[in-house]
Amino acid sequence: MTPILLAVNGTLMRGLELNPNMTSVGGIFVREDNTDAHYRLWSINDRHPGMIRVQTGGAHIALEIWQLPPASFAQLLSSEPAGLSIGKVKLQDGSEVLGVLAEPWLVEGQKEITETGSWRRYTGHHHTV
């Protein structure tokens, strides 16, 4: 079966809190990337980000692209917090991959951090290779 590419923008990224959930199911880091300029980002109680695609007022949001074995996909998703879901994410080159998105109710009343452009910049957790 063909591996699945998944764009993540928060705690599943390298060096962050839930990255072991990604690597324990066979996730392989592919590359860093960015969304196109139609996404907004919120901090959900300073625990993880929530990202939503918008028609206007969005920005490029930093992502990591991971490759997952299809059999591991559901296992990884079941460990994600409520309010996060999988949808198509448009990358800056115009291509689309599956990615972690927030349901609108999740971001209501939360702190918008779109201007930072990434969860890493907001939290100060920079990954060094």
Side-chain angles (χ1 to χ4, degrees), residues 12 17-27 68 75-76 79-80:
L12 287 172
E17 180 185 2
L18 297 182
N19 184 250
N21 291 356
M22 179 70 83
T23 56
S24 70
V25 297
L68 281 168
Q75 184 179 347
L76 178 70
S79 65
E80 283 290 274

Side-chain angles (χ1 to χ4, degrees), residues 46-75:
D46 282 345
R47 299 273 306 145
H48 61 84
M51 183 175 78
I52 293 180
R53 183 171 172 81
V54 295
Q55 291 291 331
T56 59
H60 294 281
I61 303 297
L63 304 166
E64 286 185 358
I65 308 295
W66 285 74
Q67 178 180 295
L68 281 168
S72 301
F73 194 65
Q75 184 179 347

Side-chain angles (χ1 to χ4, degrees), residues 9-37:
N9 59 46
T11 56
L12 287 172
M13 293 190 296
R14 295 170 298 158
L16 299 183
E17 180 185 2
L18 297 182
N19 184 250
N21 291 356
M22 179 70 83
T23 56
S24 70
V25 297
I28 299 169
F29 173 75
V30 176
R31 68 181 186 275
E32 292 181 354
D33 211 322
N34 289 285
T35 66
D36 75 358

Side-chain angles (χ1 to χ4, degrees), residues 78-115:
S78 67
S79 65
E80 283 290 274
L84 295 180
S85 59
I86 297 300
K88 292 281 185 87
V89 173
K90 188 171 263 192
L91 301 178
Q92 63 186 354
D93 68 2
S95 65
E96 288 184 333
V97 295
L98 294 177
V100 179
L101 296 168
E103 296 178 43
W105 67 264
L106 184 65
V107 304
E108 289 177 11
Q110 299 292 328
K111 180 180 181 183
E112 185 167 355
I113 60 170
T114 302
E115 71 282 351

